[in-house]
Amino acid sequence: MTNFASQIEFLKQHSSYAQRWLNSHPEWLEWLSIQGAQKVDVGGIRGLLGPCQEALASPEQDEAQFMASLRLARQRLMLWIAFRDLNGKADLKEVTHALSHFAEEAVVLSIAYIREDLQRRFGLPWSKVTDAEMPLMVVGMGKLGGLELNLSSDIDLIFLYEHEGETQGAPKSLSHHEWFTRMGKRLIKLMAEHDENGFVFRVDMRLRPNGDSGPLVCSLDMLEEYLLVQGREWERYAWIKGRLIAPMPGAPAFAYCERELDQLIRPFVYRRHLDYGVIASIRDLHAQIQHEADKRSSNHHGRSKDIKLGRGGIREIEFLAQMFQLMRGGTDPRFRIRPTLEVLDLIKQQSILPAEEVDTLKVAYVYLRRLEHRIQVWEDQQTHYLPEDEVARTRLASSMVGPNETQEQKDFLSELDQHQAAVAQYFEKAFVLDDAERLDNTSLPVGWEPDSAIFSESAARWLTWADSYKQKQLPEKSRLIFNNLIRKAADSLQADQSISDCADLTLLRFFDLLEAVARRSAYLSILSEYPRALSNVLDLLKASQWGAEYLTRHPHLLDYLLNSHTEKALIEHPEQYWEEVKTTLDMRLDDVMLDGDGSEQAMDILRVTHHTETFITLLADLGIGVDHELSVEKVSDHLSALADLILQTTFERVWPGVAKKFDLPAGTTAPFAVISYGKLGGKELGYASDLDLVFLYQAEEADFAAQEIYALLAKRMINWLTAYTSVGSLFEIDTRLRPNGSAGFLVTNAVAFKKYQLREGDNAAWVWEHQALTRARFSAGCEMVGTFFDDVRFEVLSQKRDIGQLRLEILEMRRKVHAGHPNPSADFDLKHDAGGMVDIEFIVQFLVLGYSNTRPQLIGNLGNIALLRIAGEVGLIQMQTAQEVGDAYRLLRARQHRLRLDGADKTRVNLGLEPLLVEARKVVLALWQEIFLAPSDIGKA
């Protein structure tokens, strides 16, 4: 027996459907011997549909012949796919894509066929918007939408048209609705009606607005009104898969129709926030479907194992993927994809679920879909039940391994059980199906309140809350969740003996958070559904007052308390991490700015991104979700990298609008740079630091038009960065370090900046401006201008200076800073008092300005600690002193950082309680005296 003959024999053994058709059409064997070796692709599909395409060109329509040609093409396709699938020549993607593409091609050909007749009799519907023929829009739902059709799928369709009106171009006209209704009915007939050649696809129209009781076709306005007024939760899940299949991509009307449809569907399906309310909704829907599946199984002997709707079946994998799509698709466009396997890949890539769990789900999905096809190909029936018949099960076991392998029925059933058990386990875990894991949302016992011996202020707050108008206005479900969360938090804090001294304060902070989100059911759902989230929230609230307030202002950040993967990625691979953040941010901005200005939404996206990444850094800073807390230097590195990213993105998004306003050619590059000074310049940014920025541009000095262009660019950037929108703000911006300060131009010509810094001419920089330059760097914009700035900075800092005069000028400036920050208290101000952080910064600036001429190692913007070490290495100060003062700076920063996290307004401490700070201050004062020969505080001179 030849190889092909044995493959045909295997096909017939496992598909009585294939056997019947090959017996009635033996001539197809020769065709299959050639085609069977070829992958089923769009070209091959169009070849099968060739007779239907030819019928379109015929002057006379023979509908019976057209239907026969469609059906015979379908039967040949099924044989082709079944032959390749059963013999191990086609993977799952080839099978599902081939069936889905065939459905699309068949629908489009049928529409074209019907259109010829309707046009001749009633003319064509015409669009008032596009001034072109108005097409029937066919939306493929379900597996067709996801390019996932199975071997005996029906196709879920929705018929739409643009707007109402009357047809044009024939003696008799119809309303658009009637014209498209006639087309829809005939399309269903061409697809689904049985004749001696079978059918093409069963057509299911029940997903249309109002289901079977609704009109067969509806206008976009009708669809929009329906979704706004009557759209139900399950329809959100259904529309995830919705895909426009007619007109097809490449057709003149496709882009317009797809855009119009997307503008209606996207806001209905995807929320503009992380939507955790879908968890309970999908869980309820799944329970209903499983109940129906169990009922059907119990009513039919031999249908006890439904591999689609039963426990651990295909639908559970699809639901799990859809949960994350609905939850995240509103904020992350990458989740607006349709194929289940692609969604699972994205879930794995984003570390939302452990990689091994996702891999297990993918393997199970492919296995169950392959099994589904083998069950269906036996009789070309839309069934998902594993047969009870021993012979049938033995046949399935053989078909799952292919013609050259053998498999016992018990091994097959064991493997199936393993896959279904794994799917069920991960589904139950994702949807928190274990009631013991979820929050008890029944009414609290009468008279319950926090223990006043432990929670004195919280107990009073509880009584106030219980009697408040705000509490009574909450929906019943939200009120029960709120009350049970307070009880759960109180129980948890009471059980943790290590925090007894701050338990009351932590519960008060939790009250603040819950009151802020009480009317946002999605946020309550996170805490209700995920015990881990509640635990991490309490860890954050007790660790940081600033963090507690930040989370309360931006509750969408609750999502990042569910798992620890993101913080680890930030710490372990920072460069790759920030590249991914930028890529995702650009994708989201493209999404909202593609069809228009979108600047308001873009500004919101920038703010949400900044809030998110700041919060992820905060979690790592506090040791939540990571093995060790971040050092203050690492925290500043991350916050500085984030600020640079936001500045660069803002520049990229604002510039095209400015260029357009001034009629500059598309694609014109802006020779413009954002120079950061101060904390950002020195990469010592804190959580609430403002940004000291200077804007440079390159042009001829007399080019006043350039001045106007780049001034507008800078103003718009500042607006994007500082405006307070519905989701909050980004930064406070200080531009007073530019040449001539507030009296100078907002943007500075790069050549003029160089002359100013090098003191060429009457308008010259002061010493304090050169001090500021030691901590300045290029942060965003055009790299060419950034390089120019670096060269200017190098030239300025490496100038030879009179050391004595420099010492006097810096000492005078330091005393002015002292005078500007008086400290009437007895406590030590970590930043501004003598022996504090500003003293160390001025010491470093003096060393850089005074000695870079002969020691260029000092010019690099490396941070104060590294520059102190270099000063020691080149002999400007003792190495031991450099080490001690560097350690002092690190200690002062860390202590200041901790006080800021605890919500302190002034970072002042009682030195009597801080022996380490006493020693640190001593070494700083000693080095100051050694260098400046006088105290930094004029009051002690």
Side-chain angles (χ1 to χ4, degrees):
M1 185 181 290
T2 65
N3 190 39
F4 175 69
S6 66
Q7 291 169 343
I8 288 293
E9 186 62 29
F10 192 76
L11 170 64
K12 291 180 177 180
Q13 286 172 10
H14 296 285
S15 175
S16 62
Y17 158 80
Q19 187 169 12
R20 282 197 308 275
W21 277 99
L22 287 173
N23 288 343
S24 61
H25 287 273
E27 71 277 10
W28 287 357
L29 274 172
E30 183 179 353
W31 167 81
L32 195 54
S33 69
I34 299 169
Q35 288 299 115
Q38 307 297 318
K39 181 177 179 179
V40 189
D41 58 15
V42 173
I45 290 168
R46 288 177 177 165
L48 291 175
L49 289 166
C52 300
Q53 186 68 50
E54 291 167 10
L56 295 181
S58 174
E60 296 292 327
Q61 286 199 340
D62 184 343
E63 187 167 288
Q65 182 56 50
F66 184 83
M67 290 173 67
S69 297
L70 271 179
R71 281 147 181 74
L72 290 172
R74 185 261 186 188
Q75 311 310 345
R76 292 171 75 193
L77 176 81
M78 288 285 286
L79 291 175
W80 188 3
I81 292 173
F83 175 84
R84 287 183 57 77
D85 187 21
L86 286 167
N87 285 289
K89 294 175 175 291
D91 60 13
L92 177 64
K93 183 176 180 180
E94 179 182 334
V95 173
T96 59
H97 276 224
L99 291 160
S100 303
H101 287 310
F102 180 84
E104 294 167 21
E105 295 284 339
V107 165
V108 170
L109 279 172
S110 297
I111 288 173
Y113 186 82
I114 299 163
R115 174 188 170 280
E116 291 297 315
D117 177 52
L118 290 178
Q119 179 186 14
R120 188 164 49 247
R121 295 164 58 198
F122 306 111
L124 294 172
W126 206 255
S127 169
K128 293 182 292 188
V129 179
T130 63
D131 193 28
E133 179 184 347
M134 184 191 302
L136 175 68
M137 289 184 256
V138 181
V139 181
M141 306 289 282
K143 285 186 163 54
L144 174 57
L147 292 170
E148 297 168 326
L149 281 185
N150 58 47
L151 274 174
S152 193
S153 279
D154 54 7
I155 54 175
D156 296 292
L157 302 179
I158 292 177
F159 298 152
L160 304 169
Y161 60 97
E162 188 183 347
H163 61 72
E164 281 300 349
E166 297 285 323
T167 58
Q168 301 176 17
K172 184 177 180 181
S173 67
L174 295 175
S175 71
H176 289 173
H177 185 268
E178 176 62 22
W179 197 93
F180 284 116
T181 298
R182 293 190 181 203
M183 174 172 275
K185 287 178 178 177
R186 288 185 62 185
L187 176 58
I188 293 171
K189 175 187 175 183
L190 293 183
M191 291 289 106
E193 189 173 281
H194 282 252
D195 63 17
E196 66 271 18
N197 294 306
F199 63 97
V200 187
F201 289 101
R202 292 173 291 270
V203 178
D204 190 336
M205 299 295 298
R206 290 175 296 174
L207 293 179
R208 70 186 188 269
N210 292 307
D212 285 337
S213 62
L216 185 67
V217 300
C218 67
S219 68
L220 292 180
D221 285 344
M222 291 168 61
L223 175 64
E224 181 177 27
E225 182 178 0
Y226 173 82
L227 295 178
L228 286 173
V229 178
Q230 300 181 56
R232 289 156 290 182
E233 196 71 14
W234 68 262
E235 289 175 293
R236 290 180 63 203
Y237 321 144
W239 273 101
I240 286 176
K241 298 279 192 184
R243 179 171 60 88
L244 189 67
I245 65 168
M248 295 185 82
F254 175 78
Y256 173 76
C257 292
E258 184 183 50
R259 185 172 64 252
E260 292 297 300
L261 181 63
D262 184 61
Q263 288 174 355
L264 295 186
I265 299 306
R266 187 194 301 177
F268 171 68
V269 175
Y270 299 110
R271 304 296 185 247
R272 289 182 65 183
H273 53 77
L274 286 161
D275 185 6
Y276 277 89
V278 303
I279 301 170
S281 300
I282 294 183
R283 187 166 56 225
D284 293 344
L285 179 61
H286 171 261
Q288 294 171 27
I289 290 174
Q290 196 162 49
H291 175 72
E292 290 297 318
D294 292 344
K295 191 162 69 174
R296 283 197 302 271
S297 294
S298 64
N299 291 340
H300 294 82
H301 176 68
R303 291 186 163 191
S304 60
K305 204 173 186 75
D306 187 332
I307 66 164
K308 178 182 179 181
L309 301 180
R311 183 175 183 271
I314 295 166
R315 181 56 53 85
E316 291 193 348
I317 303 174
E318 293 172 339
F319 270 4
L320 189 144
Q322 286 177 317
M323 177 184 78
F324 290 110
Q325 288 185 273
L326 286 173
M327 191 186 296
R328 297 171 181 276
T331 59
D332 188 342
R334 289 173 297 182
F335 280 92
R336 299 175 203 159
I337 51 180
R338 299 177 181 91
T340 300
L341 288 173
E342 289 184 21
V343 179
L344 291 174
D345 281 335
L346 184 57
I347 290 169
K348 177 181 175 180
Q349 176 192 325
Q350 297 297 298
S351 300
I352 294 168
L353 292 179
E356 60 272 15
E357 290 186 14
V358 178
D359 289 340
T360 300
L361 288 169
K362 288 174 61 181
V363 170
Y365 180 80
V366 172
Y367 184 88
L368 291 169
R369 291 300 308 272
R370 290 182 66 247
L371 176 57
E372 173 189 48
H373 292 161
R374 279 147 183 75
I375 292 171
Q376 293 175 348
V377 79
W378 175 248
E379 278 289 359
D380 188 20
Q381 290 182 338
Q382 176 73 335
T383 178
H384 303 89
Y385 291 99
L386 190 71
E388 290 290 333
D389 176 68
E390 292 293 314
V391 174
R393 288 192 169 192
T394 300
R395 186 181 65 246
L396 280 174
S398 170
S399 70
M400 286 298 287
V401 294
N404 301 317
E405 303 286 340
T406 58
Q407 180 178 224
E408 295 293 326
Q409 183 190 143
K410 63 179 177 60
D411 296 330
F412 157 62
L413 293 176
S414 173
E415 185 175 3
L416 174 60
D417 285 341
Q418 287 175 16
H419 286 304
Q420 290 188 301
V423 171
Q425 176 191 347
Y426 296 141
F427 182 84
E428 288 167 8
K429 177 182 173 185
F431 285 89
V432 204
L433 293 181
D434 182 355
D435 289 337
E437 286 288 307
R438 299 204 304 276
L439 187 72
D440 179 9
N441 285 329
T442 56
S443 296
L444 296 185
V446 176
W448 181 90
E449 61 182 65
D451 185 342
S452 58
I454 300 171
F455 304 103
S456 57
E457 291 188 52
S458 298
R461 177 83 170 266
W462 169 259
L463 294 175
T464 303
W465 163 258
D467 221 19
S468 69
Y469 177 76
K470 188 174 182 181
Q471 185 262 158
K472 291 170 184 172
Q473 287 295 105
L474 284 181
E476 177 68 13
K477 181 179 178 183
S478 295
R479 182 162 61 249
L480 288 174
I481 293 176
F482 187 110
N483 293 345
N484 278 284
L485 283 170
I486 291 293
R487 181 175 69 166
K488 176 93 175 188
D491 290 347
S492 175
L493 293 168
Q494 192 167 342
D496 188 350
Q497 299 297 319
S498 65
I499 63 153
S500 57
D501 57 332
C502 64
D504 193 22
L505 180 60
T506 303
L507 192 58
L508 283 173
R509 291 172 180 173
F510 191 53
F511 257 114
D512 290 338
L513 173 63
L514 285 189
E515 286 201 37
V517 304
R519 302 195 70 84
R520 306 284 290 276
S521 60
Y523 298 138
L524 290 178
S525 294
I526 299 178
L527 299 171
S528 172
E529 298 284 352
Y530 289 101
R532 181 63 183 160
L534 178 57
S535 172
N536 282 341
V537 165
L538 294 177
D539 286 344
L540 170 67
L541 298 184
K542 65 193 176 195
S544 170
Q545 170 71 25
W546 186 88
E549 293 171 353
Y550 197 76
L551 178 60
T552 301
R553 286 199 307 274
H554 310 298
H556 64 271
L557 299 170
L558 281 167
D559 177 58
Y560 296 92
L561 289 164
L562 292 181
N563 61 66
S564 61
H565 303 295
T566 311
E567 299 94 284
K568 288 181 178 176
L570 170 63
I571 293 168
E572 294 171 5
H573 308 288
E575 287 188 13
Q576 180 184 340
Y577 180 87
W578 291 118
E579 285 176 10
E580 291 178 3
V581 170
K582 182 70 164 70
T583 299
T584 305
L585 176 57
D586 283 337
M587 185 189 311
R588 295 184 62 194
L589 291 171
D590 288 343
D591 187 49
V592 299
M593 299 185 78
L594 191 62
D595 296 326
D597 178 32
S599 58
E600 186 174 338
Q601 284 178 277
M603 288 164 70
D604 283 348
I605 288 170
L606 277 177
R607 280 148 182 75
V608 169
T609 299
H610 184 260
H611 299 158
T612 299
E613 299 308 326
T614 298
F615 190 67
I616 288 168
T617 300
L618 173 67
L619 294 180
D621 184 6
L622 297 174
I624 297 174
V626 291
D627 298 330
H628 304 289
E629 296 178 3
L630 282 185
S631 67
V632 66
E633 291 91 348
K634 287 292 184 184
V635 170
S636 290
D637 284 346
H638 294 319
L639 294 175
S640 300
L642 173 59
D644 286 352
L645 184 150
I646 295 292
L647 287 170
Q648 180 64 32
T649 305
T650 302
F651 164 71
E652 292 168 358
R653 298 294 166 167
V654 170
W655 168 243
V658 174
K660 184 176 180 181
K661 179 177 175 61
F662 287 96
D663 296 323
L664 299 177
T668 300
T669 302
F672 179 91
V674 182
I675 309 301
S676 57
Y677 282 68
K679 292 293 185 187
L680 178 57
K683 294 189 178 180
E684 293 182 351
L685 208 62
Y687 289 113
S689 298
D690 58 5
L691 305 187
D692 294 299
L693 303 179
V694 169
F695 302 107
L696 300 182
Y697 69 93
Q698 284 186 326
E700 296 295 327
E701 285 193 80
D703 188 348
F704 299 112
Q707 171 85 27
E708 182 183 2
I709 291 169
Y710 299 115
L712 180 61
L713 173 58
K715 286 175 184 175
R716 287 192 178 176
M717 285 186 66
I718 290 171
N719 179 59
W720 271 49
L721 294 165
T722 60
Y724 197 92
T725 75
S726 60
V727 296
S729 59
L730 278 171
F731 302 107
E732 291 294 323
I733 303 293
D734 190 336
T735 61
R736 290 174 297 175
L737 289 177
R738 66 187 186 267
N740 298 308
S742 298
F745 291 115
L746 179 61
V747 294
T748 305
N749 184 292
V751 174
F753 177 82
K754 178 178 181 179
K755 291 178 179 177
Y756 179 83
Q757 293 292 345
L758 292 173
R759 299 176 172 175
E760 297 173 357
D762 297 333
N763 190 24
W766 297 80
V767 169
W768 68 263
E769 291 179 281
H770 288 175
Q771 285 179 252
L773 201 61
T774 64
R775 285 157 60 87
R777 63 184 179 86
F778 166 70
S779 271
C782 172
E783 290 190 9
M784 181 178 67
V785 184
T787 300
F788 179 89
F789 167 78
D790 289 339
D791 293 341
V792 171
R793 179 180 177 276
F794 185 93
E795 188 174 352
V796 171
L797 297 186
S798 59
Q799 285 183 314
K800 184 173 177 58
R801 291 176 172 84
D802 182 316
I803 296 296
Q805 183 63 29
L806 180 67
R807 180 183 289 114
L808 289 174
E809 291 191 42
I810 292 182
L811 180 60
E812 182 184 356
M813 178 53 63
R814 177 67 185 101
R815 288 173 173 172
K816 284 182 180 178
V817 173
H818 260 305
H821 296 84
N823 178 10
S825 74
D827 291 338
F828 173 58
D829 188 309
L830 297 170
K831 181 175 182 180
H832 292 292
D833 278 357
M837 291 165 60
V838 175
D839 272 10
I840 299 173
E841 291 165 0
F842 271 58
I843 288 170
V844 172
Q845 290 162 13
F846 171 78
L847 294 172
V848 170
L849 292 176
Y851 299 101
S852 291
N853 177 255
T854 55
R855 297 166 178 86
Q857 306 97 306
L858 292 166
I859 292 177
N861 190 346
L862 306 173
N864 291 307
I865 295 172
L867 289 169
L868 283 166
R869 176 180 50 77
I870 292 171
E873 289 172 352
V874 298
L876 295 176
I877 57 176
Q878 295 294 319
M879 271 305 300
Q880 183 178 349
T881 301
Q883 180 68 46
E884 289 173 347
V885 175
D887 291 343
Y889 190 70
R890 186 179 288 111
L891 177 63
L892 289 163
R893 281 194 67 201
R895 192 72 182 84
Q896 180 197 48
H897 183 67
R898 175 49 56 186
L899 288 170
R900 294 279 191 220
L901 287 179
D902 289 339
D905 184 36
K906 302 286 187 182
T907 53
R908 294 170 181 170
V909 298
N910 181 350
L911 285 178
L913 304 175
E914 305 267 3
L916 288 177
L917 284 177
V918 171
E919 291 303 312
R921 188 184 185 209
K922 272 185 188 175
V923 300
V924 176
L925 288 172
L927 181 57
W928 180 275
Q929 188 65 32
E930 177 186 332
I931 286 179
F932 289 101
L933 311 175
S936 63
D937 188 344
I938 194 169
K940 299 175 183 174

